[in-house]
Amino acid sequence: MIEQQYYTRERGGLFSKTDGYDTIAKSPKLKLEFIKKYLHPLCSYDSPSELQKSGEEDETKYPPNLVIMPVASGELIIGQAVYKSKDFTGLRSTFFMHNYVLSANEKHRYVKEPEKLFGITQFQTAYDIGLGSELPTLAAIPYEGNSVLFKDRARLLSELKMDEILFEKLLAAIFTAASSKKKVFIVLDVPISELGTYAKALLYHVYLSLPWSVTEELGVSTYSRSSEAKKNIHITFLEKDVLRYDGKVTKEFVLDFVSQKFLNLDETTHLDPYFKVAAMFRSIKPLWEKFNSYGEQLLNAMKDKGEKTLSFYNRTATLFVIYAYLSNHKPYVLEEGRERQGFLTEALSYLNLPIGDEFKRELIEVIGYAISSLEASLRGGVLLSQEEIVAMLKFKLKVNQGSKTNFEDMLRILLEAIEVARRENNGAYIKEIFAKASKETALYQSLFGKLYSREELKEQVAYTYIKEAFEGINNLDAFITQVKQFEPIESILFTDVYYSNLVKTRFMDCLRAASNKVKLLEKVQQWCEKHQGRLYEELVVLAEEHFLKHIRLEAIESEVALCHITFKHIYDDENYEAIKDYQKLKTSLEAMSPKHIKVNKAVQKQIQHFYKQTVKKEDFYMLVYAFLEPNKEAYSEEMWRLNLTKVLEYLYPISPAIMLDFIIWSKGQEIYMNKTSFDTTVIRFFTKLKEKEGKWPKELAKQKLEGQLKTKTLYAKLNKAMQPAIIKLLSQYGKTIAITGMILIGCAGVGIGGYFAYNYYLAPPPIIDTTAAELEQSIKLPVNELGLPEDQVKAQLKLLEENNKKQNETDETNKDKQGEVDVKEEKTQPSVNDKEQVKTPAETKTKSETPDTSQNDNKKQENTSSHTGN
């Protein structure tokens, strides 16, 4: 059913009782909410500028504005606004608008017959509100479809100065506008009073030439004075000279026949299959309806994924034209360009849609015919696109799956495509063909089987493809990936010498380029273990030989990595022997037995390399192996002996504690060691350590060794050996030294007394100015013989130097005092007797240097002792 609404300026309306613009009448079922939301925004009219300026009052000179607009709720609005020179007051101009609202079902019917939209004859231009506010609901809208401009398309386009190409460009722009936010602005070079007539006629032919699914979405306005975009209006006809080419307008589609400006139009519409089909069938109603039915069925099946675009209808048009020719038993050859571009791929996708069985059968028949047409072109030497080749293969796989005929057809298509590409020297095309065929194992195998059956194709096609496939590969991952791609045809390739040699060459490139040889070998072995065949075995041998030739054992990052290295074969190689010996030593203590021992210098070096940072107790037997040397003892049965000193020197920088643990561990079992020399070696090591560093880990040794039963005696020996020399001397010869000391002291006392007598009474006391350096030199060796550390020696020297300095200062003071006393006595005492005048050697000194003889014996003894001590 069809509802109605009137809108103009009056004394009150349905929404307001005051004077003004309002809805003055409507059909009963037309809801006020709908009117307010959709109709009121449409109700407007701006008088043309040229008529407004001239003050034209003739209403027939003013163009009506026909508006057609679909709304989201499914209805279609068809309305017309006309100019009125007088309103209800008779003092001002106004406009009157009559709107029809069609239900969704009615919309479909009217859109399919454009004359019902653009040939309506009953639009009211005035209304007496005294007749009431209720309008009838209609079953149909009266229309006239016999307009000359409707019937004569050529005449219309001629009068509008438009040709078929420009008309197709307009259609392409409308396609885009219908599915986007872009607008189409049209300025016709016709009198303003005739604008409505020509606009409706042009829209009539536009609607005839577009699919129904597109025209159902279109919103149009046949007259406007403003280029301002309106919601849901896609096509707007504008008054002359109102379009300003700036801002947003330049981004829209523009057809200005007055200024001859046409903006943003597609210049390639002549390539679109849709327009050819539309030109062929739009005048044949049954075929046009069938074409639109095709499109609607596909769009409905695609649901939200379907887009009503020109691209979609190009595919649909190609399908339909083949269908039309088949229905009339006429041959049809697909043309190159947009008719074929993407056609098969899209058409195949339609077969997966939930469409009816009858429609699907029609599509299969149409697609099959199209493929037959393309096969004929391929046999004729035309190189089809990769997309078409793939689509042909997919169709063969999808239809009559498992059919031998289809499989043979697919193989034939591939071989024919390869032949054409080979003649055109198109290697990239052939590579793509192989890539597509590889996705179907049976087809891939059959294709290579055919190529290898013909020597010319094998050398020119297969070998070229294989060589290019491995080109530039220099890392193992890429190499493995490429070999995997050939796995389906291994049975053919692995017996081929060319392939085997090429694979080995590229494989060696990958081995040489790898930096981590251990991981590389492991990856190769793991990969080859999963496959069978002579070639994989040869690759393992190549990898292992390369590893042994280029690996440096010291470059292996960890003992774990070394122990995980495996070999599938046996090799006469030093690195191989070293690795196997190391692994055997690590996994079996039996390898340490004197009966089975086999000392490998490379293994010894590697052990020392691995354990130079940290050593655990469980690794001690490895260290024994690492420091074994040939036994040079003439009467020993063992060929090897442990260099215990080197072990201790190796362990001490790592950890003194772990070194002591090794001593405890090795004491008692003393494998490869002379039991009698063990303690001696240990003591000698600590002695040299103390000589070198001035200290030894006494407390740690006591803590570790003294508490262990098997090393308690060793510790006692060690502790005694490490005592200072004077203490060792006293402990060994204490009594003898005591007796001898007493005798020597007695003798020394007599000697010292005589020395003091002479020194005190006869000789002046010497000034003690011995330097610290001289003193240090004089006592360094005796002090060091006691085993004292250097810092202790220096401390003693410093103390002696300070005492020496203090004594010198005391002596100088005493001399000054003595000089003063002598001068005083010289003035008061009588002359000396003859005995005192006898000159002695001491009298050659000045009186100021003569010792003070008046000092008591204790003072003399003190000074004398002081000089002697220094």
Side-chain angles (χ1 to χ4, degrees), residues 417-690:
I418 288 173
E419 281 284 9
V420 175
R422 185 169 68 91
R423 288 195 294 270
E424 295 186 7
N425 198 27
N426 193 337
Y429 185 93
I430 295 175
K431 188 175 181 179
E432 285 295 322
I433 289 292
F434 281 120
K436 302 296 188 298
S438 65
K439 296 178 181 180
E440 294 294 330
T441 302
L443 184 63
Y444 196 36
Q445 292 172 341
S446 298
L447 177 60
F448 260 86
K450 288 286 186 182
L451 293 175
Y452 264 69
S453 65
R454 294 170 57 184
E455 196 66 26
E456 181 184 6
L457 290 178
K458 180 174 74 172
E459 293 181 359
Q460 294 185 8
V461 179
Y463 284 178
T464 301
Y465 169 63
I466 293 170
K467 181 180 178 182
E468 290 179 354
F470 282 100
E471 198 94 349
I473 291 178
N474 61 0
N475 71 80
L476 188 62
D477 289 335
F479 175 83
I480 292 175
T481 300
Q482 185 54 59
V483 173
K484 282 182 177 179
Q485 292 182 4
F486 288 132
E487 283 181 1
I489 51 174
E490 281 182 352
S491 58
I492 300 172
L493 296 181
F494 278 23
T495 58
D496 184 56
V497 176
Y498 176 84
Y499 177 79
S500 297
N501 290 338
L502 179 63
V503 166
K504 291 175 186 177
T505 300
R506 289 290 172 264
F507 182 68
M508 289 305 298
D509 291 341
C510 298
L511 296 181
R512 283 188 284 269
S515 57
N516 192 324
K517 304 297 183 184
V518 177
K519 289 185 178 180
L520 177 76
L521 178 62
E522 184 180 2
K523 184 180 288 187
V524 171
Q525 291 171 337
Q526 290 176 352
W527 172 56
C528 291
E529 279 179 0
K530 300 175 183 177
H531 301 82
Q532 294 181 347
R534 182 178 176 182
L535 181 58
Y536 288 109
E537 293 177 1
E538 291 176 353
L539 294 181
V540 171
V541 172
L542 288 175
E544 293 179 350
E545 288 179 345
H546 176 82
F547 172 82
L548 292 171
K549 183 178 179 181
H550 294 89
I551 192 65
R552 292 185 305 108
L553 294 183
E554 60 270 22
I556 297 176
E557 56 194 33
S558 69
E559 186 181 59
V560 174
L562 180 63
C563 291
H564 275 80
I565 295 173
T566 60
F567 296 95
K568 306 299 180 185
H569 304 276
I570 298 174
Y571 300 94
D572 184 12
D573 183 271
E574 291 182 359
N575 280 337
Y576 175 82
E577 293 294 335
I579 292 171
K580 299 304 290 185
D581 287 349
Y582 196 107
Q583 293 173 346
K584 184 177 180 182
L585 182 66
K586 190 67 179 175
T587 56
S588 175
L589 287 174
E590 188 180 1
M592 285 295 296
S593 168
K595 296 180 180 180
H596 302 95
I597 193 72
K598 175 187 175 185
V599 178
N600 187 316
K601 289 185 177 180
V603 175
Q604 288 183 309
K605 186 177 180 181
Q606 195 65 13
I607 294 173
Q608 294 174 30
H609 169 69
F610 282 144
Y611 294 113
K612 63 184 179 182
Q613 298 297 330
T614 57
V615 180
K616 298 178 182 178
K617 292 181 181 180
E618 56 265 29
D619 300 321
F620 285 163
Y621 75 93
M622 295 290 286
L623 289 179
V624 171
Y625 183 94
F627 291 95
L628 288 178
E629 295 177 348
N631 193 351
K632 297 180 181 179
E633 294 179 5
Y635 302 102
S636 175
E637 296 180 358
E638 295 178 348
M639 295 177 61
W640 306 94
R641 62 177 291 276
L642 173 68
N643 190 326
L644 180 60
T645 301
K646 287 187 177 180
V647 179
L648 300 181
E649 290 173 349
Y650 177 84
L651 288 174
Y652 184 75
I654 299 173
S655 169
I658 202 72
M659 180 196 69
L660 291 167
D661 287 337
F662 179 82
I663 292 172
I664 297 169
W665 174 83
S666 55
K667 179 68 174 174
Q669 56 183 9
E670 293 152 341
I671 183 171
Y672 295 109
M673 287 181 283
N674 188 324
K675 297 182 179 180
T676 58
S677 64
F678 183 88
D679 290 2
T680 304
T681 302
V682 173
I683 293 170
R684 186 186 302 117
F685 169 79
F686 279 105
T687 302
K688 289 183 177 180
L689 176 66
K690 183 177 179 182

Side-chain angles (χ1 to χ4, degrees), residues 765-768 806-816 863 866-867 870:
I767 298 174
I768 299 175
K806 289 179 180 179
Q807 185 61 49
N808 285 338
E809 290 175 354
T810 303
D811 292 343
E812 289 296 330
T813 302
N814 291 339
K815 287 177 184 179
D816 291 341
N863 288 341
S866 176
H867 292 312
N870 285 327

Side-chain angles (χ1 to χ4, degrees), residues 824-834 836-837 847:
K824 187 175 181 181
E825 289 179 352
E826 190 175 301
K827 291 179 180 180
T828 56
Q829 290 182 1
S831 301
V832 295
N833 57 32
D834 295 338
E836 290 175 336
Q837 291 183 0
K847 289 185 179 182

